[in-house]
Amino acid sequence: MQDNATEVTAAGIARLAGVGRAAVSNWRRRHADFPKPVGGTETSPSFALAEVEAWLRRQGKLAEVPLSERVWQQLAGHPEGPVTALAYTGCVLLLIHERPTVWLDVSAGSDERLAELLPGALEQVLTPRFGAPGAAGVHTARGGVHSGEAGDASPAAGSGPAVNTGPTPPASPAHAASPAHAASPARAADPAPAAVLLAPAPATPALAIPVPAGDRLLASAPLLRGAAELAAGTGARQTFEFLLGRHLDANPRQYTLTPAELARLMADLAGPARTVLDPACGTGALLRAVDPRPGQELYAQDSSADLAALTALRLALRSRATVRAAAGDTLRRDAHPGLRADAVLCHPPFNERNWGHDELAYDPRWEYGFPARTESELAWVQHALARLADDGTAVLLMPPAAASRRSGRRIRADLLRRGALRAVVALPVGAAPPYNIPLHLWVLRRPGRTPAAPEVLLADTGRFAGEARGGPDWQAVRDAVLDAWRAFARGERSAERPGLARAVPVIELLDDDVDLAPARHLPPAAPADGVEQLTAVRERLGATLRLTADLTPPPAEPVPPARWPLTTVGELARGGALVLRTGGTGGHTRVPVLTDHDVLAGTAPSGTLPETDEEAVLTEPGDVVLPVLGGGSVARVIDGATGGAALGRNLVLLRPDPAALDPWFLAGFLRGTANHRRASSYASTATRLDVRRLQLPRLPLDEQLRYGARFRALDEFERALRHAGRLGEQLVRGMYDGLTDGTVAPD
C-alpha cells in the first residue's frame, strides 16, 4: 500500500523499460490489464509505481528495476513533492553518514517503529551539525510547515523535526544547479536568522521542510529505506548527489545552471579561506567548490528556503566544516549581518528591478554609492564587500552590462579609486547561462591597511570559446586567468599578453564612462601571429577540400527497388543480435560524456554528468548511437577515439553482435528518412524517436559488409564536408578581422 503512494508518469515508465513514450501509449491501448491511472491529469496521467513494475515483469519487459531508478521514481513521485522528499532523504543520509549505528537501530523492525524513532535520531545529528538554539543555521523544529508573517505559524498535528531555513522571499540563482531568478514583494526584515527550534515554530516568517512523523513518515518509509540501501553501496554523499542531480536534470527550466568548472575557477580566484560566504547559494555549488581546511566555516543564504536546506545538507555530507545556512532575501533581510568572511563567492540574480531600492536607501552597505534601481548587481557587489574582512576577497559572476552601464559609472569609479575592484575577467560565450553572452567575473578585495596597487587586471578569455554548445576550453581558461591573476596579486610586472590580459592603470579607466569591459582596453593579438594563423587555416582548408573531392561518391546507378524482408531493432534486441542501452543521468565526473549535440554535430564528447557513483553506460568501438529527440536522421558509429566516453541523456546505444550485424550496415539503414518518420512520435514542441521501431533488412553478413563499406565511405565524406565548413568559417572571420583592424592588406 505504501509503494502505491509513489506515482510514476508515462515518461518514468518509458525510462524503467528502456523504451520511448510512444511505446507506453501503445501498451495502454493494446493491453486491457495495463495499470489504470491513479492521479495526474487526463493528458498527463500518473500510475502507481508498484503496479507498473508488476505489469512490466509479467510482460517480460522488465527483469528488475535498478535500485537507483526505483529510489528516484519514489522521490519524483512523492506525494509532498520531490524537493520535500529530497530534504527528507538528505536528513536520513546525513544520519547514516554521521551515525550509521543509530540508523541501523532505528531502521530495524517495522515502518511504524521507524516512524516513532526517526525524529529523535535526527535531532542527534542535525543539531550538532547546524548549530545550537539561537545560532544561525539550518536546524530542526518541532512543528509542521511554517509560513506566513509573525504569529501565523502553528504546529501541524503529527509532524516531527524539520529542517527550518527561515523566511521565504523571492528565489535567487543556484549554482551548478540552481533555480531561475525570480522576484516577489518584500517582507519585513528578520531580527535574526533561523535557529534550532526544539519547541513551537518561530515568530518570524519561516518555511520549514519537515521530516514528518506519523502517517506522513510511514508513506516516506520505502523512499528512506531505499535511499539507505543505495547509500550502502555508493555512499551517503554520492547518493544525495545522484538524487539531487536527477531532480535538477528533470526540471531544466526551473534552474539556472552554473557549471562546476566555473565554480572551481571562482573558488581558486578567491584563494584558501577559513570563513566563506555565499549570499545567493542556490544548491551550494560555489561553497562546494571551496577547498576544505581545518576549522572551516561555510555561511550560506538563499531566498528559497528549499534550496537553503538542500545546500546545508549537501555541504554537511561533503565535509566536517561548520555549516550555517539561512533563508531570506539577502539584500532586504541579511541573515549574517555581523559576519566578516575571508572570502565571498556569489552568483547573484541578474537584472532585477525589485531588489529593495525603495526600502534600502540609507543602508550602511552602500559604502561606494547608492545603486540605481537598474543596478541590482552593484548592490550585490557592495553587500559582498560589506561582509568581507579587511583584505578579504570576493568573486562575483556578473552580466557584461554591469561593466559599462552609465547608471553605475559613479559606483564603478569609487570602487576603482579606493582599490576595491582588483580584476575583471570576460569569460567565453557559453561559459554559463545565458549562454549567448560572455559573462564577467569581478574580483574584489576589501581595502585594508595596505594600500592597493593603482592598477586593475583586465582579462578576456573569449578566444577559448568552444564550438556550438560544447562549452569553452575550461583548462585553457583556468590556466590563462589564474596565471595572470596570481602574477598580478604578487605585484609582478609580468609581460603583457596581447589580446588576453593586461594590468591597466586606474587613471586610464576614470573617464566619463568608466567602462570596464576588458575587450575595450586590451591590445589586439600580435599581427604576425594572426597572419600566420590565417595562412595555416587556409592551407588546412585547401587540403580538406581536396580530400572532400576525392571522397565524393561516384554517380549513382539506377536499379529496381529492392524487396527485402524487414526486421526491427526491437526484434533484434529480443533475439540477442544487439544490446540496447539508454543514456545515463549520473556517473564519474572524470569520464567525458557524449551528448546528443555531439552526435548531431559529429564532434568529440563534450558533456558532463552529475557526480554520482552510478555506473555510467560507456561506449565501445563499433557501437551505434542515436539521438531520440529533435527529429534528425542521424546515427553515429563509435570509433577508437570516442570509445570509452559515457553515454549522455537523450541517446540510445545499440551494441551489435559482430557475428550477426555489421555496425556500419546498421547505422546506415537506421539513417533513412522514411525509416525515421515511421518510428517517430510527435508532441506539441518536439519529435521523439522510438528506436525499437526502426527497421532494417534481413541480409546475410557478406551482403551487410558490402553496404557497410559504402555507408562508411559516405560517413568519411560527410565528416570532411563538416570540417571544411568549420575551416571556411574560421578563415572568413579571420580575413574580415584582419582587413578591418589593418593587419591584412587588401591586395
Side-chain angles (χ1 to χ4, degrees), residues 264 288 587-593 607-612:
R264 283 193 285 271
R288 187 170 174 269
H588 303 290
T589 55
R590 296 186 179 180
V591 177
V593 177
T608 59
L609 289 174
E611 181 184 354
T612 72

Side-chain angles (χ1 to χ4, degrees), residues 1 16 49 161 245 254 300 303 321 368 381 404 413 436 475 533 555 648 682:
M1 180 180 69
L16 287 173
L49 176 60
Q254 297 181 24
S303 56
Y368 300 87
V381 164
S404 56
N436 60 332
Q475 189 58 51
Q533 185 179 16
Y682 303 93

